[in-house]
Amino acid sequence: MKNNRNIRLMYAIALLQGMVFYGPIATLYRQAAGVSVFHITLIESISLALALALEVPWGILADRIGYRRSMILCCGLYFVSKIVFWQADSFGGFLAERLMLSVVCAGLSGLDVSILYLSCPEEESHRVFGIYNNLGMAGLLAASAVYAVFVGENYRLAGLLTVFSYGAAALLALFLREVRSSQPRPAGHQLAEFKVLLGQLVRNPRLLFLVLGAAFLNEAHQTITTFLNQVQYTRAGLSASVIAVIYVVMTLLGLCGGFSARLTGWLGEKRTGAVLLALAAVACLTLTLTCGPVLSVAAILLLRVCHSLFTPLQTTLQNRQVRTADRATTLSLNALLMDLVAVFTNLVFGRAADFALPLAMGFGFALCATGLVLYLYSQRGSQRAD
């Protein structure tokens, strides 16, 4: 049954939590407080390890206490973490903020999309996911514009504005309505259910390959558009001002996820996913073979578009294959697998980039090409493929 109230509230929460006003200077913010780049990467590593450890337990807890209460807890802790970040002035302060963020990210993984999926008719879920993702990106764009025009070098003001935004999101979470009943069950029963779900994932190659294919595209996109792109731009001879303009364009292109449902309606689910993964592989191959400025920018922007259009599609496909009432637990298990893939691919990308940047881009091509094969297998025999 459609729950417009929940959908509107989740849209508003996504917009507000996208407003990270210190986003453009996140590293500079920490360095100004005396935290070195090495310490920043160390904090990130610790954060990822904790998020992995909490991924499935959070999903089990959400299915036990209800999605509304879990969302309130996550949004509340998210708000507190931004206060800690705003006041942090040492390694310990930023580590504490990141550890809180790990708890939040593990909690929200699978939870927010479960609330949305259960608040709308299945045939509308693809469009709803696209709008939800776009609003988070719109929040980031709005915050970046405010930073550029009004904040400037006042890093702490950027942190304070982010506190206000996340505080408003936490307040809105209080007005959500529950979309599933919370039935307390023994912890042993929960563990048994998790083992059953794990077994179902292993025995369901279509879902397993879909998750792996999506993970490969996610990691190629994340690493190349966040870290390696700046190195590629430098090799291409682009100036810092031009790189900044490209960043804005790339952020705007993240909004094209809203057209995912329309594209899928035109091509069909199977063809849409295949085309996007194939184009992503072409983009990575281009980056492997050239460092020319025009082709480099075009390839990175194409990779961004492919990922933005593919995300709502794979989210819908994952939700459709859930065959249990414990939806958040199942999706958390999927996210755990994707995070494990990220741990491996990050190490390979980093090592390859230290040796030669084209080698790292070539690894991105291999991931996308493999993801294409896995996706096609996951959609084999699907009645909604066309």
Side-chain angles (χ1 to χ4, degrees):
M1 184 173 65
K2 190 169 184 178
N3 189 328
N4 286 319
R5 176 177 175 175
N6 274 4
I7 294 173
R8 294 191 188 102
L9 286 171
M10 291 298 293
Y11 282 171
I13 290 171
L15 178 67
L16 290 168
Q17 291 182 343
M19 292 182 179
V20 182
F21 292 89
Y22 59 79
I25 44 88
T27 299
L28 297 177
Y29 192 110
R30 294 174 172 91
Q31 288 180 319
V35 179
S36 68
V37 174
F38 170 74
H39 284 150
I40 293 173
T41 57
L42 177 61
I43 290 172
E44 291 295 317
S45 297
I46 296 172
S47 174
L48 177 59
L50 179 60
L52 286 172
L54 294 176
E55 183 75 48
V56 173
W58 244 121
I60 294 174
L61 178 64
D63 285 322
R64 182 165 183 156
I65 69 174
Y67 295 170
R68 175 181 176 273
R69 291 178 183 174
S70 298
M71 192 69 185
I72 291 172
L73 287 174
C74 287
C75 290
L77 187 57
Y78 224 162
F79 172 48
V80 174
S81 75
K82 296 309 174 186
I83 296 176
V84 173
F85 186 93
W86 169 47
Q87 292 294 310
D89 59 1
S90 65
F91 173 85
F94 288 107
L95 175 61
E97 180 268 339
R98 203 63 189 178
L99 292 179
M100 291 181 188
L101 189 59
S102 298
V103 177
V104 170
C105 290
L108 288 177
S109 178
L111 176 63
D112 53 351
V113 295
S114 292
I115 293 175
L116 284 171
Y117 190 80
L118 296 174
S119 297
C120 69
E122 180 182 335
E123 62 271 15
E124 294 184 17
S125 62
H126 195 149
R127 179 183 62 83
V128 169
F129 288 142
I131 296 173
Y132 181 70
N133 292 333
N134 275 358
L135 285 170
M137 193 64 61
L140 177 61
L141 281 170
S144 298
V146 170
Y147 174 84
V149 176
F150 299 106
V151 179
E153 299 296 323
N154 193 343
Y155 296 166
R156 293 291 174 177
L157 176 59
L160 178 60
L161 291 174
T162 305
V163 170
F164 292 152
S165 177
Y166 276 71
L171 182 63
L172 290 180
L174 296 173
F175 298 96
L176 288 169
R177 290 173 177 165
E178 185 57 81
V179 290
R180 61 158 288 162
S181 61
S182 56
Q183 300 176 350
R185 288 165 287 180
H189 182 65
Q190 290 285 328
L191 182 59
E193 284 185 331
F194 168 68
K195 291 180 180 178
V196 170
L197 292 175
L198 180 60
Q200 290 176 350
L201 176 61
V202 173
R203 292 190 299 270
N204 185 354
R206 289 184 60 186
L207 177 58
L208 181 62
F209 289 166
L210 171 63
V211 173
L212 288 174
F216 288 163
L217 174 59
N218 286 349
E219 293 314 307
H221 165 265
Q222 172 67 16
T223 305
I224 292 175
T225 63
T226 303
F227 302 109
L228 301 183
N229 60 338
Q230 296 179 20
V231 182
Q232 181 79 3
Y233 294 151
T234 302
R235 289 181 68 226
L238 299 178
S239 66
S241 58
V242 173
I243 292 174
V245 172
I246 296 171
Y247 172 79
V248 173
V249 174
M250 187 172 66
T251 303
L252 285 169
L253 287 176
L255 297 173
C256 71
F259 298 99
S260 180
R262 185 177 301 177
L263 178 64
T264 301
W266 180 40
L267 293 178
E269 290 178 349
K270 184 176 181 179
R271 290 196 189 97
T272 298
V275 167
L276 294 176
L277 283 161
L279 288 176
V282 169
C284 292
L285 182 60
T286 301
L287 294 169
T288 305
L289 299 176
T290 184
C291 63
V294 175
L295 286 177
S296 294
V297 173
I300 289 172
L301 295 181
L302 175 61
L303 183 58
R304 176 70 162 182
V305 169
C306 290
H307 179 264
S308 298
L309 290 171
F310 186 76
T311 296
L313 172 60
Q314 65 93 8
T315 302
T316 298
L317 293 175
Q318 281 195 51
N319 270 278
R320 186 182 298 153
Q321 292 209 37
V322 175
R323 298 291 184 265
T324 173
D326 293 332
R327 182 174 298 274
T329 303
T330 303
L331 294 178
S332 289
L333 184 60
N334 295 350
L336 175 61
L337 178 58
M338 297 176 78
D339 287 342
L340 289 173
V341 170
V343 171
F344 168 75
T345 57
N346 284 340
L347 293 174
V348 176
F349 267 121
R351 186 65 176 171
D354 282 343
F355 184 78
L357 185 61
L359 185 61
M361 299 300 188
F363 180 59
F365 165 73
L367 287 178
C368 292
T370 304
L372 171 60
V373 174
L374 294 174
Y375 175 79
L376 289 174
Y377 183 89
S378 75
Q379 295 301 294
R380 190 174 59 178
S382 173
Q383 295 182 353
R384 305 194 187 196
D386 300 312

